[in-house]
């Protein structure tokens, strides 16, 4: 499994936590940071998934 996939999923979780915390305490900046971090994590995880797919295709 590609490290970007793992790091991306962790980043998505961290973003979700920030977003939820921002909603709870009413901090729109923190909430926006969380949303942005989730999006970046999704992109990073997708890149890792593509790398895994390419690696698996080359092995065949």
């Amino acid at each position: 499994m590609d490290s970007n996939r793992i790091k991306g999923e962790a980043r998505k979780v961290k973003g979700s936590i920030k977003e939820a915390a921002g909603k709870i305490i009413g901090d729109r900046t923190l909430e926006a940071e969380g949303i942005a971090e989730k999006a970046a994590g999704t992109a990073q995880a997708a890149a890792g998934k593509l790398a895994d797919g390419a690696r698996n295709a080359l092995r065949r």
Side-chain angles (χ1 to χ4, degrees):
M1 184 176 275
D2 192 74
S3 65
N4 275 326
R5 201 168 179 180
I6 296 166
K7 289 176 184 177
E9 291 299 328
R11 204 169 179 184
K12 283 172 39 179
V13 170
K14 185 178 174 185
S16 293
I17 292 169
K18 274 187 175 182
E19 181 183 6
K23 283 181 181 180
I24 290 170
I25 62 174
D27 185 342
R28 294 182 120 181
T29 303
L30 184 60
E31 186 178 348
E33 286 176 13
I35 291 168
E37 191 150 1
K38 271 187 357 184
T42 300
Q44 187 174 7
K49 189 174 182 179
L50 283 172
D52 282 341
R55 192 175 305 113
N56 289 338
L58 290 174
R59 287 184 186 163
R60 294 179 186 191

